[in-house]
Amino acid sequence: MKKLQCFFVSICFVVSFVIGSIPVMAAETIYDGEGNLMTQEEIQSAEEAVALGKQIMESGIQTRVGYNFNIPLLRQDDSRWANTVMACGHSGHTFGAVGCAMTSYAMIFRYFGHNVTPVDVARVSQNNGGPCCNFSSLPLCQAYGHSRENSPGSYSQAQIQQWIVGRFAQGKPCIVKLRKGSNTHFVVARAYYEHPNGATGIYIHDPESNINYSTLAQYLNNGWSIDFATAIIR
């Protein structure tokens, strides 16, 4: 009888070991802000960035110090290209009117050493992934030799901001897509500061000179919300 009990115990141990060795499938499917299915590695990376950003924003470990990327400022309504019509499939759409995304990416690519204008970026986008008014960030970044990470589409406004600060700490500047009703706008998230008085802020380069906000909070306080953010990888 003791041998039989031992046999069953051995069988249970083997079964438990085998079951425990089977990978656990993800409980839910997660998409990034652009609607791309995220891998488990991408989800884990995003969660780590949020945790890092939350720690920085809440614990004050960067007191009076910030992450500041020396990103050049470009304007979509610069006279050199403001009246140039974009290749969007919509006649009459100029860079001055709808060129915020291409101008934001041009700023980031310049930061990484590419001597480009928003017109150059739009042309590359048109040739690598579709019309520049409905572009996909991955083929555009890959065309310039970079990769990118998008924040998950399910993240809250606070989580996306934590994600941005976490990516800053990893040396990755970000582009933020904002939304207000049917309007969308892209800006470059370029810095994070903690001031001696305790105030914190994510600082931006705004391609729209008529608005010209300097912080992300200014948009959020005026009825805009963050759609998603994209970190560009060197």
Side-chain angles (χ1 to χ4, degrees):
M1 187 64 179
K2 291 183 178 178
K3 288 185 178 180
L4 187 60
Q5 289 176 334
C6 186
F7 173 77
F8 281 123
V9 169
S10 299
I11 289 296
C12 291
F13 174 79
V14 171
V15 171
S16 298
F17 177 80
V18 171
I19 292 176
S21 301
I22 298 175
V24 178
M25 299 301 291
E28 59 178 322
T29 301
I30 297 179
Y31 294 87
D32 68 15
E34 285 188 302
N36 304 300
L37 181 64
M38 298 183 70
T39 66
Q40 287 302 303
E41 290 78 11
E42 290 171 333
I43 295 169
Q44 181 178 347
S45 177
E47 292 174 349
E48 291 171 353
V50 168
L52 178 58
K54 184 177 181 180
Q55 180 188 24
I56 293 170
M57 296 176 78
E58 292 184 355
S59 68
I61 61 173
Q62 291 295 125
T63 302
R64 295 186 298 279
V65 178
Y67 301 99
N68 190 359
F69 298 91
N70 189 25
I71 297 172
L73 173 62
L74 295 176
R75 301 291 196 185
Q76 67 190 76
D77 51 358
D78 187 303
S79 60
R80 290 173 290 179
W81 49 73
N83 295 319
T84 301
V85 176
M86 295 182 67
C88 300
H90 305 287
S91 61
H93 283 201
T94 64
F95 281 87
V98 297
C100 56
M102 297 297 100
T103 305
S104 294
Y105 275 88
M107 288 189 240
I108 294 289
F109 293 148
R110 280 200 176 195
Y111 168 74
F112 284 124
H114 305 280
N115 185 21
V116 296
T117 69
V119 178
D120 298 325
V121 175
R123 187 178 301 114
V124 170
S125 177
Q126 186 78 7
N127 295 331
N128 294 271
C132 53
C133 281
N134 187 25
F135 71 101
S136 177
S137 63
L138 184 57
L140 174 59
C141 291
Q142 288 176 334
Y144 284 98
H146 303 284
S147 187
R148 64 96 181 97
E149 296 165 315
N150 286 331
S151 61
S154 58
Y155 273 8
S156 67
Q157 299 290 286
Q159 286 175 312
I160 299 175
Q161 292 177 75
Q162 292 163 354
W163 184 92
I164 291 170
V165 175
R167 293 306 187 200
F168 281 176
Q170 297 169 343
K172 302 168 185 176
C174 298
I175 290 175
V176 182
K177 183 181 180 182
L178 298 158
R179 185 177 297 276
K180 184 178 184 180
S182 60
N183 298 317
T184 60
H185 187 49
F186 287 80
V187 299
V188 174
R190 62 175 185 84
Y192 174 77
Y193 291 120
E194 291 192 9
H195 300 290
N197 64 5
T200 62
I202 295 174
Y203 285 75
I204 65 173
H205 273 336
D206 193 341
E208 174 56 78
S209 64
N210 291 328
I211 302 176
N212 196 29
Y213 287 154
S214 60
T215 67
L216 194 56
Q218 288 175 286
Y219 271 103
L220 301 182
N221 292 336
N222 281 279
W224 292 78
S225 62
I226 305 172
D227 202 358
F228 68 93
T230 301
I232 312 301
I233 304 169
R234 185 179 295 275

